[in-house]
Every structure is written in structure tokens, then in C-alpha cells.
Amino acid sequence: MNVEQARFNMIEQQIRPWDVLDQQVLSVLDKVQRENFVPPAYRHLAFSDTEIPLPEGQCMLAPKLEARLLQELRLQASDHVLEIGSGSGFMAALISQLAANVISLEIRPELARLAAENLKSANIRNVQIIQADGSQAPQLSELKNQSFDAIILSGSLAEAPKSLNKLLKPGGRLVGIFGQEPMMRALRFIVSSTGFEGQNYLFDTCAPRLNGFGEPSTFVF
């Protein structure tokens, strides 16, 4: 496989047609070597328009979905970013090129180790992987007295967790995928000093669930 040609084709044939047009985002996707964040057994699928299996029954999102979520974060070079769901570390690696630093929470120990190893191998130094339950982020001692400019959820939830607004600075953004299969919505929330003050519909999609957050009750009186 010609890796550079495959990367070019991924960007031009999958990612640009999905309305990812921010040149900084496209440049980062060209720079960060996605194939090094894919398990060796699936490296031949690194640039394919598909989810890629990871240990513990998890997966990497398709490249176009990762790229679109990254674009919708609207990152600035000074931003302090929280990711929930590290996976293989690839999304954190992308964010690290556009923001000042990243903290990424991963509930599964094997994936936390994998993400940390991949980032170290890529010589990315402004990402910290913490093995922790993202649903408990506001209570984590590692995040005490910290606030973020942006939070990204690298998986889907039934609904936006209001507890996370406590970790965002006023004007901060939370981007994630919400709802139920077969159709979910990617949304961006803006936070004020009193909580989520508004939301922007981004696009329809579907993604695997993040662990730890639970589902709303379906009990009906």
C-alpha cells in the first residue's frame, strides 16, 4: 500500500466531501500518521471509510466522522481541551496539533495504556491520558480546579450530560453525538456561567456508546 497516496485519497474522497473544509484541520489530518494509531492487525484499514476494532470491544470512529467532530470544536491555539473516550489516542493526537494541551479520560485500562503508548511513540507531549470514568469527570481529583475551553465526546450518549458544564469556561464548547440508534445527532453546546445556553445542530450520524454514562429510564407510569 502506498501510505501517502492512501492518506491523500482519504482526505480528498472521504473527508472533504463530508464538509470538512477548514484548512488547518485538513493539514493536521495529513500530518498525524493515522496508521500508527491503528492496531497492527487492522493497519490495512487505516484509511478506509469504516470503524476499526480496538481492544476491549471498542472501535476507532470512521475518519470522516473524526474529522468533522474536530472541525466543529473550533479550536484555538491557546485552548485547554478535555476528551472523554481516548480510544487509540488518535483524536487526542489531532487535537494536540490545534490546541495548547489535551487531557483525555479513558475508562478502560487497556485502551488507556494503548493511547498513552501511541502518543509517546508519536512524540506528542501535550496530551495527558488518565484512566478514569468520564461520567465522573467533575469529581476527579486530577481535574480539580481545572476548566476547559472545549470538551469532545469521542462516542455517543443518550443526552448531553449537564454535569460537564461545570468543567467549561464561559463561552466554552461541548461537541458530541446524542440520541438513539438508528439516527443520532451531532450537537455543539455553548456554556455560560449558568449552564448550557444554547445548542447548534451539526449533522446526523451514528456512533458507538461511551461507557459509564448510562441510559435514561424507559419506565412509563
Side-chain angles (χ1 to χ4, degrees):
M1 177 176 67
N2 183 326
V3 170
E4 293 311 316
Q5 185 63 52
R7 195 187 326 280
F8 175 84
N9 291 344
M10 175 189 73
I11 292 170
E12 297 301 319
Q13 297 173 13
Q14 298 174 41
I15 292 172
R16 278 189 188 272
W18 235 48
D19 292 329
V20 180
L21 304 175
D22 184 301
Q23 190 54 52
Q24 284 188 304
V25 171
L26 294 171
S27 295
V28 165
L29 289 159
D30 184 54
K31 176 182 178 182
V32 178
Q33 298 180 331
R34 191 173 198 270
E35 66 274 18
N36 292 337
F37 290 82
V38 173
Y42 298 101
R43 199 153 288 175
H44 63 290
L45 296 175
F47 307 107
S48 300
D49 183 16
T50 188
E51 295 174 352
I52 294 178
L54 293 174
E56 301 200 52
Q58 304 303 294
C59 69
M60 290 179 71
L61 299 177
K64 65 186 182 185
L65 181 52
E66 292 171 322
R68 187 74 185 274
L69 292 172
L70 180 65
Q71 177 176 265
E72 299 298 351
L73 273 180
R74 298 180 174 178
L75 293 173
Q76 303 294 319
S78 60
D79 281 351
H80 184 37
V81 182
L82 176 66
E83 177 190 30
I84 297 180
S86 307
S88 71
F90 182 64
M91 178 62 86
L94 295 175
I95 295 169
S96 77
Q97 306 300 301
L98 297 173
N101 50 66
V102 186
I103 293 178
S104 184
L105 306 180
E106 174 54 58
I107 193 172
R108 296 175 179 269
E110 186 176 353
L111 285 185
R113 288 193 296 271
L114 175 64
E117 289 169 2
N118 286 340
L119 290 160
K120 182 178 180 181
S121 296
N123 199 32
I124 293 173
R125 301 179 182 276
N126 61 336
V127 177
Q128 179 185 6
I129 303 293
I130 299 174
Q131 195 267 301
D133 181 349
S135 70
Q136 302 302 311
Q139 288 78 47
L140 294 178
S141 60
E142 295 92 338
L143 302 186
K144 187 176 180 180
N145 299 323
Q146 295 204 51
S147 58
F148 298 89
D149 299 285
I151 297 176
I152 183 167
L153 308 175
S154 291
S156 69
L157 297 177
E159 56 191 10
K162 293 181 173 59
S163 62
L164 293 182
N165 65 34
K166 301 173 185 176
L167 293 171
L168 281 166
K169 300 174 184 176
R173 295 90 62 203
L174 182 147
V175 170
I177 298 166
F178 305 99
Q180 305 288 341
E181 291 185 329
M183 186 59 70
M184 303 176 188
R185 287 182 153 194
L187 302 172
R188 180 176 52 242
F189 292 87
I190 307 298
V191 171
S192 70
S193 58
T194 57
F196 292 135
E197 67 178 14
Q199 70 180 49
N200 302 114
Y201 163 77
L202 303 174
F203 54 93
D204 291 333
T205 189
C206 212
R209 280 290 195 246
L210 283 173
N211 298 119
F213 287 85
E215 297 291 325
S217 172
T218 57
F219 181 79
V220 178
F221 286 99

